[in-house]
Amino acid sequence: GESVGLHLPTLSVQEGDNSIINCAYSNSASDYFIWYKQESGKGPQFIIDIRSNMDKRQGQRVTVLLNKTVKHLSLQIAATQPGDSAVYFCAASLNKLIFGAGTRLAVHP
Amino acid sequence: NAGVMQNPRHLVRRRGQEARLRCSPMKGHSHVYWYRQLPEEGLKFMVYLQKENIIDESGMPKERFSAEFPKEGPSILRIQQVVRGDSAAYFCASSSEGGFRTEAFFGQGTRLTVV
C-alpha cells in the first residue's frame, strides 16, 4: 500500500517569508502527486500537481519538488501571505489518492 | 460549470438512524471518490465509483456502509444504524478520468454528527 507522511505537523512563518512544507511517501510505484490546501470548514482545494516523470513544477507563487530517489515531495510557497494560512496535505496516487496527516501553516504579520 | 456539490452540508442523526450523504460530481465527470476526515486528521479513502459500478471499496467498513453511483442522479453514501464513531466530515471528489490520473476536485463536505 501507500503511506504518506509529513515531517512537521505545524509550521509558523512570518508574512513575506518563503514556506517549505515537506512530505515523504513510501511506495515507489506512485506516479502522480498532488498538494491540497484545506481551510477550516471547507473541502480540500487543489494547489498543484506533479507527475513522476518530472522533478519540479511551478505555479503562481508555489513550486513542487519531487525527489523520487528518496521518495520526498515538497511544496514551496513564495512570499507567504496571511491568506495562505491553512492545513496543507500532500497526496500520492496509486489508482486512489492517499493523503498524509497534514501540516498546519500559520502566517504571522 | 458548478463544482462538486455535496448535501447536506451538516447532518445530525441520533444513534441507530440512517444517514444519507449526496454528491453530485462536476459536469462531465464520471468518477467519484468518497473520503472521510476526522478532526485534525487527513482524509481517508473509502470508496471509488464509476457510473453504476463500484471500482474500489477497500476503505469502506464491511458493515453498515454502502455507496452507489446510479446512471442518473448523485452518488449516495449511506450509513445505516449510525454510531457516535461515525461522526466525521465526509468529502467526495470527482474526476474526468479514473484512478486519480488527473486533477480531482473536492466538494465542501458533509459534516455528520451522531448524538
Side-chain angles (χ1 to χ4, degrees):
Chain A
E2 172 63 85
S3 67
V4 179
L6 293 169
H7 296 309
L8 294 174
T10 57
L11 177 65
S12 294
V13 300
Q14 291 293 123
E15 182 178 355
D17 286 352
N18 296 334
S19 303
I20 299 176
I21 302 173
N22 295 304
C23 178
Y25 63 97
S26 61
N27 195 323
S28 56
S30 298
D31 59 359
Y32 180 54
F33 306 88
I34 309 176
W35 280 99
Y36 285 94
K37 172 186 180 182
Q38 188 176 28
E39 296 173 286
S40 181
K42 296 185 177 180
Q45 176 187 355
F46 174 93
I47 301 173
I48 192 167
D49 60 359
I50 189 167
R51 298 193 184 278
S52 58
N53 61 351
M54 304 172 69
D55 53 22
K56 180 179 180 179
R57 190 157 189 234
Q58 288 184 291
Q60 187 176 14
R61 284 202 305 119
V62 295
T63 300
V64 55
L65 298 178
L66 174 63
N67 186 330
K68 294 180 287 295
T69 302
V70 296
K71 291 183 285 202
H72 183 269
L73 194 67
S74 69
L75 177 70
Q76 301 177 2
I77 305 173
T80 312
Q81 301 169 0
D84 295 327
S85 295
V87 177
Y88 289 80
F89 295 98
C90 72
S93 176
L94 260 181
N95 296 317
K96 53 181 178 272
L97 275 183
I98 304 298
F99 282 80
T103 292
R104 184 176 301 281
L105 177 65
V107 182
H108 302 286
Chain B
N1 185 8
V4 178
M5 304 299 293
Q6 288 188 250
N7 68 83
R9 289 294 307 277
H10 300 275
L11 181 62
V12 179
R13 284 288 177 265
R14 295 185 185 280
R15 281 178 293 171
Q17 290 185 320
E18 178 179 284
R20 297 185 112 210
L21 289 62
R22 296 173 185 78
C23 170
S24 296
M26 287 184 67
K27 186 177 180 180
H29 286 190
S30 60
H31 301 265
V32 166
Y33 314 81
W34 284 94
Y35 283 78
R36 168 185 160 125
Q37 185 178 36
L38 294 172
E40 302 298 307
E41 292 190 10
L43 286 82
K44 304 295 184 188
F45 170 80
M46 298 183 73
V47 62
Y48 161 32
L49 309 105
Q50 202 176 354
K51 284 285 187 180
E52 299 185 277
N53 288 304
I54 296 175
I55 308 300
D56 183 341
E57 57 181 347
S58 58
M60 287 274 275
K62 293 288 185 275
E63 297 178 350
R64 303 188 298 108
F65 285 72
S66 63
E68 62 178 13
F69 188 16
K71 187 176 180 181
E72 302 291 337
S75 175
I76 306 287
L77 178 67
R78 182 183 292 109
I79 311 172
Q80 296 177 301
Q81 299 173 346
V82 296
V83 300
R84 290 237 170 94
D86 296 332
S87 296
Y90 292 84
F91 292 95
C92 83
S94 74
S95 66
S96 57
E97 294 180 28
F100 273 110
R101 314 316 293 173
T102 59
E103 181 180 345
F105 298 89
F106 279 82
Q108 294 300 310
T110 293
R111 278 146 188 85
L112 172 65
T113 302
V114 179
V115 298

